[in-house]
Amino acid sequence: MKILIMNGPNLNLLGQREPGIYGSGTMDDCLNALRTLHPRVEIDYYQSNIEGELINRLQAAMNEHIDGVVLNAGAYTHTSIALHDAIRSVNFPVIEVHISNVHQREDFRHHSMISPACKGVICGFGLNSYRLGVEAIIYARQEN
Ligand code: CA2
């Protein structure tokens, strides 16, 4: 199996800033733990602060025989019709994840533009949200 984890804007700062909201673990720690836990799954990673680059990466994944994408679109979650359209256009499941529980935060974080286009949503479990997203793809695949 092959799964792509994608992070949007500012998530390159994980582990360096705002540990009270996003924890102190880095994305490298998270990826290492996931690859150890699921050695038979190829887990690729991509981060960009740029909306169009996230869309380009999603589209490129259509030629990579990927089983699914775990996407933390960061603040683009709440604004991006373009990402919504891109997610709708791909031929694999996209799981929306968030580190924090966005529903416990400011009102503007309560609405997601991308949720209707995603297979499901996971939020509020810290970096474990990524693990749960990966496992959602693995288990969905096993059911088919
Ligand atoms: O909780 C999440 O995962 C979010 O997607 C994170 C986004 C935020 O805009 C969403 O509402 C919820 C923000 C990512 C910023 O990441 C940082 C990480 C460390 C330090 C500063 C920012």
Side-chain angles (χ1 to χ4, degrees):
M1 284 194 71
K2 191 171 171 180
I3 293 175
L4 171 64
I5 296 178
M6 290 179 55
N7 269 345
N10 297 309
L11 286 157
N12 53 312
L13 300 176
L14 270 178
Q16 299 172 35
R17 306 264 163 79
E18 302 206 61
I21 301 175
Y22 301 114
S24 52
T26 66
M27 207 54 209
D28 273 353
D29 299 335
C30 176
L31 291 167
N32 286 337
L34 270 174
R35 288 173 181 138
T36 303
L37 195 62
H38 294 293
R40 282 152 44 140
V41 181
E42 183 182 336
I43 297 175
D44 294 343
Y45 177 64
Y46 181 78
Q47 189 275 332
S48 177
N49 293 324
I50 300 168
E51 188 176 18
E53 286 186 353
L54 293 166
I55 292 166
N56 284 344
R57 185 67 191 89
L58 262 182
Q59 290 183 1
M62 282 204 282
N63 304 317
E64 295 172 10
H65 303 289
I66 229 155
D67 295 286
V69 165
V70 174
L71 172 64
N72 186 346
Y76 290 142
T77 301
H78 315 296
T79 62
S80 181
I81 298 170
L83 260 177
H84 171 114
D85 290 345
I87 295 164
R88 270 208 191 291
S89 74
V90 295
N91 55 5
F92 46 75
V94 177
I95 313 291
E96 174 183 351
V97 303
H98 300 286
I99 299 165
S100 62
N101 181 345
V102 286
H103 301 289
Q104 289 175 343
R105 300 182 64 191
E106 304 96 321
D107 286 354
F108 64 83
R109 295 186 204 277
H110 296 181
H111 183 257
S112 166
M113 296 299 297
I114 64 171
S115 293
C118 290
K119 185 164 175 67
V121 184
I122 294 163
C123 81
F125 296 98
L127 291 181
N128 272 320
S129 292
Y130 294 95
R131 179 176 63 75
L132 295 168
V134 164
E135 289 173 355
I137 294 169
I138 294 171
Y139 294 129
R141 187 75 208 282
Q142 285 168 356
E143 276 170 12
N144 290 331

